[in-house]
Amino acid sequence: MSNDRTQTDELVEVFGAVSCAAEGGVTLYALPQLQLPEASTTSVVEVLLCPVARDGYDSCLFFAEHVQSRVGLNWAQHRLLDRNWWAFSWRTQPGLRLAQMVGIHLRGLE
């Protein structure tokens, strides 16, 4: 992904602290204190963004916990970075910036 540094800076500006880790040759972006939409039962959660195609999706946002919202979502558990994470089925599109990916995934919780 081009301009990784600029996009990481944009993530920090929009969502707060960000750290990076690699798994399977892919850089994952951890956001430890992501503010969730009001419709969620949890207000802040740690998430992990996978910005490349995986499991049939253009990007994935993994949550440290299974978050409840007003809409029913198809959640599945995944193992990344020696930890269990939760993700729901949600489509984005290719070519988005990192911050856009996170924002579009969060719409699923509204």
Side-chain angles (χ1 to χ4, degrees):
M1 180 171 288
S2 61
N3 301 319
D4 280 348
R5 181 79 169 152
T6 302
Q7 289 200 48
T8 303
D9 291 344
E10 182 180 27
L11 271 179
V12 170
E13 184 179 316
V14 176
F15 298 108
V18 174
S19 62
C20 299
E23 181 163 306
V26 174
T27 300
L28 304 172
Y29 298 85
L31 290 77
Q33 296 287 309
L34 182 66
Q35 184 72 42
L36 297 180
E38 288 182 20
S40 305
T41 56
T42 304
S43 59
V44 177
V45 70
E46 181 180 8
V47 298
L48 192 63
L49 174 66
C50 177
V52 299
R54 174 191 172 105
D55 301 327
Y57 295 92
D58 292 312
S59 65
C60 294
L61 190 64
F62 299 97
F63 295 74
E65 60 188 76
H66 182 177
V67 176
Q68 298 295 320
S69 67
R70 286 187 276 208
V71 295
L73 296 169
N74 182 24
W75 288 88
Q77 193 172 41
H78 302 266
R79 185 88 176 156
L80 297 160
L81 303 175
D82 294 325
R83 242 179 108 175
N84 292 327
W85 296 87
W86 290 90
F88 58 86
S89 299
W90 194 256
R91 296 267 179 217
T92 61
Q93 60 195 42
L96 297 173
R97 298 179 61 75
L98 299 174
Q100 290 173 313
M101 289 177 201
V102 173
I104 289 172
H105 281 287
L106 289 178
R107 287 184 195 160
L109 295 172
E110 295 177 344

